[in-house]
Amino acid sequence: MPLSLPQLSYTYADYATWPDDARYELIDGEAYLMSPAPKRAHQEICGEIFRQLADYLEGKDCRAFIAPFDVRLNAKKADDTVVQPDIVVVCDPKKLDEHGCVGAPDMVVEVLSPSSIKHDKMVKLELYRRHGVREYWTVDPDILLVEAHILRDNEYFIHAYGDSGEAPVSLFADCRINLDTIFRYSPRKNIGDATPSVNTPPVVKK
C-alpha cells in the first residue's frame, strides 16, 4: 500500500513543487508516496487496455490517457486531492488543462498489484464514488479478474469478468475490451494455472 506522509494537510500547490523523482498522490490533503515502478506485466496490461480504449475512441469526443496523468478531483474547492490512475477516459474537453484533468473523469482503470490492492479497492473506490466517476475498473492480474464498478444513484454496482471473452464498457454502447488479449501478459496465465472464467454470466452486486 502507498505510504502516507506525516503532515497536517497538503494542496495541489504543495504537490506541484515536489521533485519528479518520486510519485505522490493526495487524498483529502493526505500525501501518499506511491510504490516503486510496477512490474512489467502490470505495464503490459495497462498498455493493452489503453490501446483498446484509444483505438475505440479514435475520432470521438472522449479521450483516453495513461499514467502518469494528474487528476484533480476537487480542484474548484479545496484542491487537496490529486490522483494518478493507471488509465482515465475523459469525455468533457473543458475538464482538460495543461496539467491533466480537472474534476472527475468518466472512467478510471486501476491495474492492481500486491502493494496497492487494498488502497485501490477501498480508499480509491470510495474516493471515485464520492466524486462521481461513472465507471471504475479494477484489474487483478494475479487472479485474472476484472471488476467493473458502474455508478448508479451514487452507488457502485459491480460486474465481474474472468480471463476470457469480452468485458463491455458501460459508457459506450459498442465498446468491449478483449480479456484474452489483456490477460495474456499475466504471469499466472503464462504458467497455465488460470482460474476458470467467470465471464458468463456477469456477477452483479451492490
Side-chain angles (χ1 to χ4, degrees):
M1 177 177 176
L3 300 176
S4 178
L5 302 183
Q7 172 75 14
L8 293 176
S9 184
Y10 294 102
T11 67
Y12 181 72
D14 300 310
Y15 171 94
T17 67
W18 296 341
D20 294 334
D21 57 356
R23 290 177 58 199
Y24 295 87
E25 290 185 321
L26 287 181
I27 297 179
D28 297 326
E30 188 172 358
Y32 292 85
L33 177 62
M34 299 177 70
S35 302
K39 293 182 179 179
R40 177 173 58 85
H42 177 285
Q43 296 299 84
E44 289 176 321
I45 290 170
C46 283
E48 178 58 27
I49 297 171
F50 173 78
R51 183 193 66 78
Q52 292 188 40
L53 286 170
D55 285 351
Y56 172 81
L57 295 173
E58 182 69 29
K60 298 180 174 62
D61 292 335
C62 300
R63 297 176 63 186
F65 300 90
I66 195 167
F69 183 80
D70 285 349
V71 175
R72 299 163 62 191
L73 288 170
N74 63 351
K76 296 182 179 180
K77 296 181 180 179
D79 204 9
D80 63 355
T81 298
V82 188
V83 292
Q84 292 190 0
D86 288 320
I87 301 166
V88 301
V89 173
V90 181
C91 295
D92 183 355
K94 294 180 180 178
K95 289 185 176 181
L96 297 173
D97 66 10
E98 61 181 356
H99 302 293
C101 179
V102 179
D106 294 271
M107 181 180 184
V108 168
V109 179
E110 298 279 12
V111 178
L112 306 178
S113 61
S115 63
S116 73
I117 185 168
K118 184 176 180 181
H119 190 69
D120 289 340
K121 297 191 72 172
M122 296 178 65
V123 177
K124 283 191 168 180
L125 176 69
E126 171 58 20
L127 180 72
Y128 295 145
R129 184 203 65 79
R130 179 158 47 96
H131 285 278
V133 174
R134 295 164 58 193
E135 187 160 359
Y136 173 42
W137 283 28
T138 56
V139 180
D140 194 327
D142 290 332
I143 61 172
L144 309 179
L145 179 68
V146 173
E147 289 185 325
H149 304 76
I150 311 302
L151 192 66
R152 295 200 301 268
D153 298 324
N154 203 37
E155 296 291 342
Y156 275 136
F157 292 79
I158 304 175
H159 296 250
Y161 304 91
D163 62 314
S164 63
E166 297 178 326
V169 178
S170 73
L171 289 177
F172 312 109
D174 56 349
C175 180
R176 307 180 73 85
I177 300 300
N178 186 305
L179 300 172
D180 300 88
T181 305
I182 69 169
F183 280 126
R184 70 184 177 187
Y185 298 108
S186 167
R188 183 164 185 177
K189 189 80 167 182
N190 290 336
I191 63 175
D193 63 347
T195 54
S197 173
V198 296
N199 192 53
T200 306
V203 177
V204 181
K205 60 183 179 181
K206 184 175 178 180

